[in-house]
Amino acid sequence: MREKISRREATRLIGATAAGLLLPTGASRAQAKSESSTILTRAIPVSGEKLPIIGLGTWQTFDVDLAPPAIKPLEEVLSAFVKLGARVIDSSPMYGRSEQVIGDLVAKLEIRDSVFLATKVWIRGKQAGSDSMERSLARLQTKRVDLMQVHNLVDVTTQLATMRDWKAQGRIRYIGVTHYESGSYVEVEKVLQSEKLDFLQINYSIVEREAEQRILPLAQERGVAVIVNRPFGGGDLFGRVRGKPLPDWASDFDCRSWAQFLLKWIGANPAVTCAIPATNSPRHLEDNMQAGLGHLPDANTRQRMVEFVSSL
Ligand SMILES: NC(=O)c1ccc[n+]([C@@H]2O[C@H](COP(=O)([O-])OP(=O)(O)OC[C@H]3O[C@@H](n4cnc5c(N)ncnc54)[C@H](OP(=O)(O)O)[C@@H]3O)[C@@H](O)[C@H]2O)c1
């Protein structure tokens, strides 16, 4: 991660510059500009490969007709997503036409090398799991998927065994498991302890913070990358903040919207590798991507953010 400087420090430097004491060179100005326009990344613990901290979920939003009126905004979403430097796209055979829509658009836009495709297996039985993964790769139009996850831990031991075989054959790059509700954390914890995983995908947001207690520390301890689902509480969080002004101190960490406030709060947790907000709106996509730029809130500010949202 880039080094952060505090607002006070930034103000001091700007003041010094204005007084002619610290004139930035052309090179350092260019560097500052490029740093603030480059999406922040975190390393996958098992490999060191870096992923941008903001990705894209596709539940509901990508389950659409392949005809132009529905597909056009999604094409714009994916095109902007890649142009803005993001990579992780999450799907599942459980998400209706999502995998097929992603596969078609990735092929049409010729962006396979720029994206990190994550999908899931959500079925019982060894053969059924293998067949499901074959269908996912076919729909995604790829010979090798970046991440395969056991959706909601369904038949987890069986599916992980197959996924390890596929990984050895080079058809899957990373393996993981997912869940989305705290009632299942005991089971998630057991799997994290007993299996060697590359990734965990779990729900975490400013109003769903239970993963902080045991799941995120355990993932860190076990060297497991964390993808955060439901970063906006499935969208419910917007009902809470809509029409309310951002606190003026949000600009301290380069935050200009509620979506950025909620995503930066997640991205600032060092246990998190990437958050995957879902949207079918190009405007919302651009907003969400801004959360991956500039400064992130420090620990004290994150606490202040929790209190602020709780008070609304
Ligand atoms: N068990 C699992 O594996 C599991 C469970 C849950 C989720 N997931 C994954 O995680 C992803 C994210 O979770 P989620 O889809 O449940 O919910 P979410 O990302 O928390 O919220 C999505 C909602 O937020 C809205 N939204 C997005 N950006 C916005 C913005 N900038 N301003 C205003 N509204 C905005 C979207 O509407 P618009 O389309 O109008 O922007 C959509 O209704 C899923 O899509 C899926 O890929 C996995």
Side-chain angles (χ1 to χ4, degrees):
M1 291 282 293
R2 287 204 312 267
E3 291 259 314
K4 287 189 289 182
I5 60 169
S6 67
R7 184 178 166 80
R8 189 177 295 140
E9 178 70 357
T11 310
R12 187 186 69 74
L13 289 172
I14 291 163
T17 305
L21 298 172
L22 185 76
L23 285 172
T25 62
S28 65
R29 264 199 305 271
Q31 187 187 354
K33 187 166 185 289
S34 100
E35 282 197 356
S36 63
S37 59
T38 306
I39 194 161
L40 298 166
T41 59
R42 287 245 166 75
I44 300 170
V46 77
S47 66
E49 178 181 356
K50 288 184 175 167
L51 290 180
I53 65 168
I54 308 295
L56 184 67
T58 65
W59 179 51
Q60 294 179 319
T61 45
F62 272 59
D63 180 14
V64 300
D65 277 343
L66 295 160
I71 205 96
K72 192 72 197 144
L74 297 181
E75 184 175 336
E76 283 174 41
V77 162
L78 279 193
S79 172
F81 181 74
V82 166
K83 279 198 189 105
L84 294 168
R87 287 184 64 206
V88 178
I89 304 173
D90 177 68
S91 190
S92 169
M94 186 209 197
Y95 300 166
R97 292 155 290 185
S98 160
E99 286 182 324
Q100 193 183 345
V101 167
I102 294 166
D104 281 12
L105 288 177
V106 166
K108 181 174 179 196
L109 295 167
E110 298 180 358
I111 54 173
R112 178 64 190 95
D113 292 343
S114 306
V115 294
F116 182 99
L117 291 180
T119 193
K120 312 190 184 92
V121 55
W122 181 63
I123 204 159
R124 296 197 163 274
K126 186 165 178 57
Q127 188 59 48
S130 196
D131 293 347
S132 169
M133 296 197 300
E134 291 284 2
R135 286 192 297 272
S136 289
L137 265 63
R139 284 191 290 254
L140 290 168
Q141 301 185 35
T142 191
K143 289 192 166 58
R144 187 169 71 149
V145 77
D146 296 289
L147 169 62
M148 185 64 78
Q149 307 155 100
V150 182
H151 199 149
N152 292 351
L153 304 180
V154 174
D155 205 4
V156 64
T157 316
T158 311
Q159 307 309 351
L160 279 176
T162 309
M163 283 157 56
R164 286 198 182 95
D165 288 346
W166 280 45
K167 189 177 170 184
Q169 294 161 25
R171 302 186 73 195
I172 293 175
R173 294 179 62 221
Y174 298 101
I175 64 170
V177 301
T178 79
H179 221 294
Y180 71 102
E181 49 126 11
S182 56
S184 299
Y185 284 3
V186 172
E187 214 189 326
V188 171
E189 213 180 312
K190 275 191 206 147
V191 173
L192 265 176
Q193 291 278 16
S194 61
E195 302 278 359
K196 180 82 194 86
L197 302 173
D198 303 322
F199 274 82
L200 167 71
Q201 184 187 134
I202 203 78
N203 61 310
Y204 182 51
S205 74
I206 207 162
V207 291
E208 292 178 18
R209 301 190 301 279
E210 296 89 338
E212 276 174 357
Q213 288 161 21
R214 297 171 68 92
I215 299 292
L216 296 182
L218 183 58
Q220 263 188 313
E221 187 190 312
R222 301 273 297 154
V224 175
V226 173
I227 294 182
V228 167
N229 65 38
R230 295 177 51 79
F232 301 138
D236 293 350
L237 263 163
F238 289 107
R240 186 149 174 179
V241 300
R242 191 168 292 121
K244 312 258 170 57
L246 281 172
D248 52 12
W249 41 267
S251 61
D252 291 0
F253 50 94
D254 304 316
C255 169
R256 290 173 204 86
S257 72
W258 277 113
Q260 292 166 36
F261 189 95
L262 301 170
L263 292 174
K264 280 184 176 249
W265 182 85
I266 295 168
N269 186 325
V272 171
T273 311
C274 147
I276 47 166
T279 185
N280 55 20
S281 150
R283 191 169 54 86
H284 286 169
L285 186 277
E286 296 224 7
D287 183 8
N288 298 345
M289 289 304 130
Q290 299 294 317
L293 305 180
H295 294 110
L296 294 173
D298 61 18
N300 287 339
T301 310
R302 286 185 85 237
Q303 182 53 33
R304 197 176 179 194
M305 293 164 84
V306 170
E307 285 157 17
F308 190 83
V309 169
S310 305
S311 73
L312 296 174

